[in-house]
């Protein structure tokens, strides 16, 4: 049985390597060569999407706090919530 997929990385290549390691740990892909295969395109898309999700989550978290917000609307909203 395969373990959990590690998608906590932010680096594209590391995410892709984690996905390949996960697939190699399954019964179906133990001896599969991932370089130059059609499955590589799918892995690239999944890794790219995971990187975009990490970036978006980081930006949303930054804009949620007054000290790290950069957009004026978010700064005004955060300042209003603390009574300014």
């Amino acid at each position: 049985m395969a373990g959990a997929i590690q998608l906590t990385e932010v680096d594209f290549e590391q995410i892709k390597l984690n996905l390949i390691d996960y697939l190699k740990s399954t019964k179906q892909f133990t001896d599969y060569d991932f370089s130059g295969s059609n499955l590589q395109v799918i892995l690239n898309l999944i890794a790219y999407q995971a990187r975009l999700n990490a970036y978006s989550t980081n930006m949303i978290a930054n804009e949620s706090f007054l000290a790290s917000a950069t957009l004026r609307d978010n700064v005004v909203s955060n300042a209003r919530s603390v009574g300014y």
Side-chain angles (χ1 to χ4, degrees):
M1 184 76 191
I5 301 174
Q6 298 295 321
L7 292 177
T8 56
E9 300 290 333
V10 181
D11 182 42
F12 174 80
E13 290 298 323
Q14 189 60 44
I15 293 170
K16 192 166 68 170
L17 287 175
N18 288 343
L19 288 169
I20 290 172
D21 289 341
Y22 170 76
L23 288 175
K24 285 182 179 179
S25 70
T26 62
K27 294 178 196 174
Q28 293 86 3
F29 296 103
T30 52
D31 295 328
Y32 194 78
D33 181 24
F34 290 94
S35 59
S37 66
N38 290 333
L39 193 58
Q40 186 73 14
V41 175
I42 296 171
L43 290 174
N44 285 340
L45 289 172
I46 293 171
Y48 180 70
Q49 184 63 42
R51 182 176 165 96
L52 283 178
N53 287 344
Y55 176 77
S56 297
T57 303
N58 185 32
M59 293 309 291
I60 289 169
N62 285 342
E63 293 297 321
S64 298
F65 299 102
L66 186 59
S68 60
T70 56
L71 298 176
R72 185 184 188 285
D73 291 339
N74 294 334
V75 172
V76 170
S77 175
N78 290 333
R80 190 175 299 131
S81 69
V82 295
Y84 282 117

